[in-house]
Amino acid sequence: MERCTRRAPRKLLLILAVAGNLGILFVYKYLDFCITNLNLLGFHLPLQNIALPLGISFFTFQAMSYVIDVYRRSARAQIRPQNIGLYISFFPQLVAGPIVRYQTIADQIDHRRETFADFSEGVRRFILGFAKKIILSNNMALVADAVFSADPGQRSVVYAWMGAFAYAFQILFDFSGYSDMAIGLGKMFGFHFSENFDYPYISASISEFWRRWHISLGQWFRDYVYFPLGGSRVKSRVRLVWNLFVVWSLTGIWHGASWNFLVWGLLYFVLIAFEKLTGLPNRFAYRWQKELYRVFTLLCVLIGWVFFRASDLPAALAFLKSMLGLTGNGFFDSMVIRTIQQ
């Protein structure tokens, strides 16, 4: 691809490489999901029950990043197979990110330097991430698991909200903790990865939330999907909405083969499209309006996490009804006090 000067063969090589990566991802991650839904329509196809390789969503995206960067001539092709293998399968960030772009560490693969200062900072960062995961996330998971597994009719309003907040903190400390550990391990080996989280729950808008949450994933979809489609610089609002729909549908389904994740992604599509089309919250003139929108943003994020955490769509809707007191549940119960005491 790098040596080819004609556009058509280069594009064909790119299509084959991307299709190959996506084909592998589809077979391992989405094939049984598609078969299950086809069977609901009357087909009788056997499930394949293929074991999911660890980190396949991450290393597939990294492989595509490498191929696309070479196609765009923003990175040089790597002639040593062991080096490209190191990039794709580097264990610290293989399972949970951040998604490392090839051009970010291309020079570091050949010219990295291990220093005592970097090693010490890497150890400190790893311990910080480990503490987030073990001390904070795992304890929040105990609360979230108990609430989400409770009977909808016996889950009080306060208890349901407690579970939603617990899961919001669980997934933050879990994901950012893993990213901290990956960044720390990378520094110990002489690699410098980009930050992946930046206090997302202080965001003043949904768009800002996604500039702070899983930064590497958002940048990947922005640079390799959203911008090639035209991004925000398109002539019609219809095309803008379509571009956002494609990006957030893919973002949702990337997280897992479930309708829950697709609905979660489409929720953000609706919210971000609303902000793009209305210009909110930047058009607000008063501080109280912006702060109220900040609260609205957090509520939308919490609702999104319900879809993300629930076992299926009916369970997610039942949980939201519990939060609103629509299942005949009470406002407060003894489980709230018992959970706080524990």
Side-chain angles (χ1 to χ4, degrees), residues 38-322:
L38 286 174
N39 288 342
L40 293 175
L41 297 176
F43 292 84
H44 301 282
L45 304 174
L47 294 176
Q48 301 302 305
N49 297 316
I50 303 174
L52 184 67
L54 288 174
I56 187 171
S57 297
F58 289 92
F59 65 70
T60 301
F61 270 33
Q62 291 192 177
M64 287 194 291
S65 167
Y66 165 67
V67 172
I68 296 171
D69 285 348
V70 172
Y71 171 81
R72 292 176 172 177
R73 303 196 186 282
S74 58
R76 298 295 302 273
Q78 178 57 253
I79 61 174
R80 297 178 179 175
Q82 66 269 27
N83 285 356
I84 196 65
L86 171 64
Y87 161 65
I88 293 175
S89 62
F90 191 49
F91 78 91
Q93 43 69 237
L94 183 64
V95 176
I99 299 173
V100 179
R101 305 271 286 277
Y102 177 71
Q103 57 183 329
T104 302
I105 64 168
D107 292 334
Q108 298 179 45
I109 290 176
D110 291 318
H111 305 107
R112 68 184 181 281
R113 294 175 60 250
E114 298 87 1
T115 65
F116 181 76
D118 275 350
F119 188 87
S120 301
E121 172 59 21
V123 171
R124 186 198 70 83
R125 188 68 178 270
F126 179 88
I127 293 174
L128 176 63
F130 186 76
K132 281 184 180 179
K133 167 60 181 169
I134 300 300
I135 299 175
L136 298 175
S137 178
N138 285 7
N139 282 289
M140 289 293 176
L142 297 176
V143 178
D145 291 347
V147 178
F148 275 86
S149 62
D151 183 85
Q154 298 177 355
R155 193 165 43 204
S156 71
V157 173
V158 175
Y159 193 50
W161 280 93
M162 179 181 289
F165 273 102
Y167 183 70
F169 285 112
Q170 174 198 342
I171 194 170
L172 171 64
F173 294 132
D174 184 283
F175 218 161
S176 67
Y178 273 123
S179 292
D180 286 339
M181 286 189 276
I183 292 170
L185 281 170
K187 282 194 174 184
M188 293 165 67
F189 291 115
F191 289 93
H192 293 80
F193 300 146
S194 301
E195 295 295 332
N196 208 26
F197 289 84
D198 183 23
Y199 303 99
Y201 291 153
I202 67 170
S203 301
S205 67
I206 300 296
S207 299
E208 183 183 351
F209 174 79
W210 275 99
R211 289 193 294 269
R212 293 174 175 270
W213 178 276
H214 205 340
I215 299 170
S216 62
L217 178 66
Q219 291 176 342
W220 199 97
F221 275 109
R222 180 196 66 192
D223 294 343
Y224 295 121
V225 179
Y226 188 59
F227 284 171
L229 288 173
S232 301
R233 298 179 178 180
V234 289
K235 296 181 179 180
S236 69
R237 290 190 171 190
V238 174
R239 183 57 189 267
L240 171 62
V241 171
W242 169 252
N243 292 348
L244 292 172
F245 173 78
V246 172
V247 168
W248 288 104
S249 297
L250 293 176
T251 301
I253 208 68
W254 178 86
H255 283 82
S258 168
W259 289 109
N260 283 43
F261 294 114
L262 180 59
V263 171
W264 174 79
L266 292 178
L267 171 65
Y268 281 105
F269 153 67
V270 171
L271 293 169
I272 291 180
F274 169 77
E275 291 184 352
K276 291 282 188 183
L277 295 176
T278 63
L280 298 176
N282 296 329
R283 294 176 58 185
F284 287 137
Y286 301 101
R287 182 180 179 84
W288 68 267
Q289 294 173 313
K290 295 180 179 181
E291 293 303 320
L292 191 61
Y293 196 85
R294 188 190 301 273
V295 175
F296 169 76
T297 297
L298 182 57
L299 289 175
C300 291
V301 170
L302 283 175
I303 292 172
W305 288 143
V306 171
F307 285 101
F308 200 92
R309 170 60 179 79
S311 57
D312 51 36
L313 283 178
L317 295 175
F319 196 93
L320 291 174
K321 288 181 179 179
S322 295

